[in-house]
Amino acid sequence: MLLPAKAEVARQLRRYRSWERLMLASPADRAVRATFEDSGYTLCVLMGKRCAREAADAAERYLRTSLISYVQEQNERPRASGRRDGAAGGGPAFPAVRKSPSGAVCPPGRAQEPGFRARRR
């Protein structure tokens, strides 16, 4: 497993937290929101997570633990089955409808279709 340098993780986590504070202070500012989302995406890629909050939590855990204990912790965590039909676990592995932070609805598989636009509920 490849892991990022702790100095880089700390730098990106500080960047994410500072833009988070700015975004909460002025939520209507589109430039601040875009930079915040960009910093969240960078942290997601760095930590191998799909959600910025999960990535920030993983970064904090990574920085506070030793390398060996972090890897052991990651290997002990249960993983989602990855099947979308839910046959492996009795229920769906992923929700039928996902919402973005802005409230837009994106049904699975539709986001990749050309011309698809998310609708609000």
Side-chain angles (χ1 to χ4, degrees):
M1 170 191 277
L2 290 175
L3 293 172
K6 285 196 172 195
E8 184 63 21
V9 172
R11 188 174 75 83
Q12 291 299 330
L13 183 60
R14 277 193 310 271
R15 180 176 180 251
Y16 173 78
R17 292 294 186 207
S18 66
W19 282 108
E20 181 181 39
R21 284 189 298 274
L22 287 171
M23 202 265 315
L24 291 172
S26 57
D29 189 340
R30 290 179 182 238
V32 170
R33 179 176 287 274
T35 308
F36 168 67
E37 290 175 355
D38 181 53
S39 67
Y41 175 78
T42 302
L43 201 57
C44 285
V45 171
L46 197 61
M47 299 309 298
K49 302 293 181 185
R50 291 180 178 219
C51 170
R53 287 187 180 144
E54 289 176 10
D57 290 342
E60 288 171 352
R61 266 193 319 275
Y62 178 60
L63 292 172
R64 114 179 130 241
T65 60
S66 70
L67 216 53
I68 294 170
S69 62
Y70 180 79
V71 171
Q72 287 172 344
E73 181 182 312
Q74 293 302 308
N75 290 336
E76 291 172 1
R77 290 176 174 256
R79 300 191 190 266
S81 68
R83 292 188 59 165
R84 292 183 182 268
D85 60 2
F94 300 99
V97 175
R98 294 177 295 173
K99 285 189 176 183
S100 73
S102 65
V105 176
C106 181
R110 294 285 314 269
Q112 291 78 25
E113 294 178 13
F116 175 75
R117 299 192 67 171
R119 65 185 189 283
R120 291 190 179 267
R121 279 196 177 180

